[in-house]
Amino acid sequence: MRRHNRVCSYSSVLALVALWLSPAAEAATPPAPVHPDAEVNGVATAFGLTVSEAKSQLAAQDEAHRLAASLPDGLRARSAGQWFDAAAGKLTLAVTNVADADAARTAGAEPRLVSRTKADLDRTDEAVRALVGDGVPGVFGWGVDVRNNEVGVSVDRSRKTAETESFLFRARDLGVRITETGSSPGQQAGTIQTGNPWWPGGESNCSVGFGATDSAGAKHFLTAGHCTNDRDQAAYGASGQQNRIGTSNVGGTRSVNAREGDMGVVAVTQSGWELSAAVNTWGEPAVTVTGSAEAMVGDRVCHSGNTSKWKCGEVKYTHKSVDYGGGLIIEDLTWTTACSLGGDSGGGWLLGTKAVGLHDGGPSKCVENPSDGDMSLFQPVIEALNKWNLKLVTGGGGDTTAPTAPGNARTTGATSNSVSLAWDAATDNVGVTGYDVYNGSALATSVTGTGATVTGLSPDTSYSFTVKARDAAGNLSPASGVVSAKTAPGNGGVRTLSNDTDFAIRDHQQVFSPVTSTLTGQASTSLGISVTIRHTCAEDLGVTLLDPKGKAYPLKYSGGSVCTAWNGARTFTVPGASSPAGGKWQLRVTDYGPGDTGVLDTWSLTL
């Protein structure tokens, strides 16, 4: 079973209410304006503005997005972040030198001189992820705060323990900002009220998110992953397992509720159900989805939910991680000030008429001027569309012009199981949002930049690659020219790294010993680790390998009623690993018991 008491919500936002609207009613829906009245009214209510002021603010927000998409590639790459400043009505660009500040002004953006580069922030963020590991009591959020040019950690003081204090001591050494709150968000549950829900089997109803189709034209809708985590579960349009819609999480490969995200797919297979781009705005004027977009910090966004109805707010953070407890950590979510309540999960978030997210979680109650612990979180929708190669269902007024083909596609390196590619940027009438890389006719990976590494390849084998550009409305460009590449033979790229620095192991504390790999592509699917420790009680120790993205591979668990000494090397194997080869790997040793001493002498990792 999924969720226990977690009630997946029905955020009718996108009304795939679709499913509930007849073709005749759908055809009568007029094309949505650039900024629909529902959005204008919602923003005015959320921020205490007049309708005229809200329209002006949203127009300035549009210009900020247009400018962000047109910035020179070099300037964008060197920037430490960007955001929409509603007070100034301009795009703000964080830069680290005067030359880039001048370039930002020339381009039309407001520069903000900062001390930390994007690389500095990313390194600190990765270090925090490594410290968090599988979770720390009370620590519920961490990520980059671009407006303050720092990495922030959010802590619920009511859940702090000695382990939390140990974590905070180490985190402060990294220079992060610690924010303590009296609450923390959760993947919401609640009583479902009126609206247009869907039912996973005989469980509590959830929300329809955004309608989408696959490459064969088959119908689906996106929703929250914690609503779809049962494989091949019947999906219904009425309670009591009535009005079958289709099947949730077909084959067990169409739902994620883990570090990767919170997103899932329901296949619409029964006759009579039609997809719609209409959004339920709970009495506000109709909104029709015209495409998808990526939200930036400072954006005014709105969502529709079965419990909180139509609510708007400001994006405070993007790509920020959350820990909901119980081992559930989700990375790269967007955090907002908009009100949400139990029963909203799975519904859609909008930037104007563009789909931006699927509702993930939020507070137990709505408050004014919410702290980090009272914010609403959503899963970026473009990631879900890319993961399952789906095309968003859109309505009138959408962008129908495809980007140009990417230019000069080329190889930049290869290992025994990967090939790295680069290409020149495509152009589009609105803006390119990403690129799809194909291995032959199969989609290999999707990226937002002009380079990618295709992994999972066979040694000493030739491959042919093409690249297509994609815009926010889902339009695909023609394919680039074909690039041929051959992987390296044998086990090229495998290497053993080690750290022989001694680290004291103290009671109820953690030791982190790093090694840095300069390899490219993916690490081996079978990792070898050798650990040499001198310790009076091996049973008190837990040993974990952390990859460059913070993914944890447990090597040894603590436990046992009798202490035995650990003196010398022990070897471990991680089968079925899935990690990048390059970056900082860490061995984490945790002492869970009192009254013993020891030292991590040395360890090695074979990639």
Side-chain angles (χ1 to χ4, degrees):
M1 293 292 288
R2 62 180 187 92
R3 293 176 317 186
H4 305 290
N5 338 343
R6 182 194 307 160
V7 176
C8 213
S9 72
Y10 147 80
S11 138
S12 76
V13 63
L14 205 168
L16 245 187
V17 97
L19 303 172
W20 291 262
L21 293 180
S22 67
E26 186 178 338
T29 303
V34 174
H35 285 289
D37 289 345
E39 180 197 17
V40 173
N41 295 340
V43 168
T45 299
F47 297 97
L49 306 174
T50 65
V51 169
S52 177
E53 289 169 338
K55 288 181 178 179
S56 296
Q57 196 172 92
L58 291 170
Q61 179 174 289
D62 287 343
E63 175 60 20
H65 274 264
R66 185 204 64 76
L67 179 57
S70 66
L71 290 173
D73 289 342
L75 178 61
R76 187 186 301 114
R78 293 190 299 274
S79 167
Q82 62 187 28
W83 61 93
F84 170 59
D85 185 337
K90 298 186 69 173
L91 176 72
T92 301
L93 202 66
V95 295
T96 56
N97 59 71
V98 173
D100 281 345
D102 291 340
R105 288 191 191 91
T106 300
E110 184 69 25
R112 174 79 61 81
L113 277 170
V114 297
S115 59
R116 299 180 181 94
T117 65
K118 182 179 185 301
D120 293 333
L121 295 172
D122 288 345
R123 277 194 297 270
T124 303
D125 189 35
E126 289 175 4
V128 171
R129 290 186 184 194
L131 280 178
V132 170
D134 295 327
V136 177
V139 178
F140 66 85
W142 56 94
V144 174
D145 180 349
V146 294
R147 282 191 279 207
N148 290 313
N149 191 231
E150 62 189 358
V151 173
V153 173
S154 304
V155 182
D156 183 346
R157 67 175 67 91
S158 67
R159 296 164 47 204
K160 288 171 63 174
T161 67
E163 183 181 351
T164 315
E165 295 296 350
S166 176
F167 164 84
L168 294 178
F169 178 80
R170 294 172 179 271
R172 289 188 182 96
D173 282 346
L174 297 173
V176 305
R177 173 179 50 82
I178 308 297
T179 300
E180 295 199 7
T181 68
S183 59
S184 52
Q187 283 194 321
Q188 292 163 322
T191 301
I192 301 300
Q193 302 173 359
T194 58
N196 305 75
W198 71 277
W199 278 259
E203 301 181 51
S204 302
N205 51 303
C206 289
S207 299
V208 170
F210 295 103
T213 56
D214 61 23
S215 58
K219 302 171 187 176
H220 309 270
F221 66 81
L222 292 166
T223 186
H226 66 265
C227 296
T228 56
N229 57 359
D230 285 353
R231 173 177 177 167
D232 296 323
Q233 187 173 38
Y236 298 97
S239 62
Q241 301 184 48
Q242 301 293 312
N243 297 343
R244 176 80 181 263
I245 297 171
T247 304
S248 168
N249 191 11
V250 174
T253 61
R254 299 232 155 178
S255 180
V256 174
N257 186 35
R259 284 185 181 270
E260 182 183 353
D262 181 15
M263 49 192 168
V265 180
V266 175
V268 180
T269 57
Q270 303 301 299
S271 61
W273 295 105
E274 296 297 330
L275 305 183
S276 170
V279 177
N280 185 342
T281 54
W282 303 95
E284 290 284 351
V287 173
T288 300
V289 173
T290 61
S292 59
E294 185 86 19
M296 75 165 68
V297 170
D299 276 344
R300 274 57 181 141
V301 291
C302 301
H303 78 106
S304 176
N306 180 65
T307 307
S308 66
K309 310 307 181 189
W310 178 252
K311 299 296 183 183
C312 302
E314 178 182 288
V315 174
K316 297 294 286 188
Y317 312 107
T318 59
H319 306 291
K320 181 169 179 174
S321 303
V322 66
D323 187 345
Y324 285 127
L328 178 58
I329 294 174
I330 302 177
E331 297 176 345
D332 293 328
L333 296 180
T334 301
W335 296 46
T336 82
T337 63
C339 166
S340 70
L341 295 169
D344 289 342
S345 295
W349 285 77
L350 297 164
L351 178 69
T353 62
K354 304 292 187 182
V356 291
L358 303 167
H359 189 72
D360 168 60
S364 59
K365 62 180 180 180
C366 293
V367 299
E368 293 186 7
N369 301 316
S371 67
D372 286 2
D374 299 309
M375 292 195 182
S376 298
L377 287 62
F378 67 78
Q379 160 70 48
V381 74
I382 290 177
E383 183 181 354
L385 292 168
N386 289 343
K387 179 176 179 63
W388 290 295
N389 196 24
L390 297 175
K391 183 176 181 180
L392 190 70
V393 171
T394 58
D399 174 19
T400 59
T401 302
T404 63
N408 193 22
R410 56 196 181 273
T411 59
T412 58
T415 69
S416 61
N417 61 2
S418 69
V419 170
S420 296
L421 305 167
W423 54 88
D424 293 343
T427 59
D428 184 67
N429 64 317
V430 176
V432 174
T433 60
Y435 296 88
D436 296 336
V437 181
Y438 292 83
N439 178 0
S441 61
L443 180 65
T445 188
S446 296
V447 296
T448 57
T450 54
T453 298
V454 179
T455 60
L457 306 178
S458 300
D460 200 24
T461 303
S462 296
Y463 294 90
S464 296
F465 302 98
T466 54
V467 183
K468 295 181 181 179
R470 180 177 10 86
D471 65 17
N475 299 309
L476 284 177
S477 76
S480 68
V482 177
V483 172
S484 298
K486 189 174 183 179
T487 52
N491 292 322
V494 173
R495 187 164 71 188
T496 298
L497 309 171
S498 63
N499 188 333
D500 60 1
T501 302
D502 289 353
F503 290 87
I505 302 173
R506 298 184 175 89
D507 289 344
H508 302 294
Q509 293 190 23
Q510 292 182 324
V511 167
F512 291 84
S513 178
V515 295
T516 300
S517 166
T518 59
L519 298 179
T520 60
Q522 289 291 101
S524 171
T525 55
S526 180
L527 305 175
I529 303 96
S530 176
V531 182
T532 300
I533 287 178
R534 302 189 305 274
H535 198 270
T536 55
C537 187
E539 286 72 20
D540 280 355
L541 301 182
V543 182
T544 302
L545 178 69
L546 303 174
D547 79 359
K549 289 189 173 181
K551 184 175 182 178
Y553 295 108
L555 305 180
K556 177 192 177 298
Y557 294 97
S558 63
S561 58
V562 178
C563 281
T564 57
W566 180 344
N567 290 308
R570 296 189 185 184
T571 58
F572 305 91
T573 301
V574 176
S578 176
S579 296
K584 184 169 72 173
W585 294 76
Q586 295 188 96
L587 188 75
R588 182 179 70 199
V589 180
T590 306
D591 188 324
Y592 292 98
D596 42 43
T597 59
V599 173
L600 169 60
D601 190 1
T602 185
W603 74 284
S604 64
L605 167 66
T606 301
L607 296 173

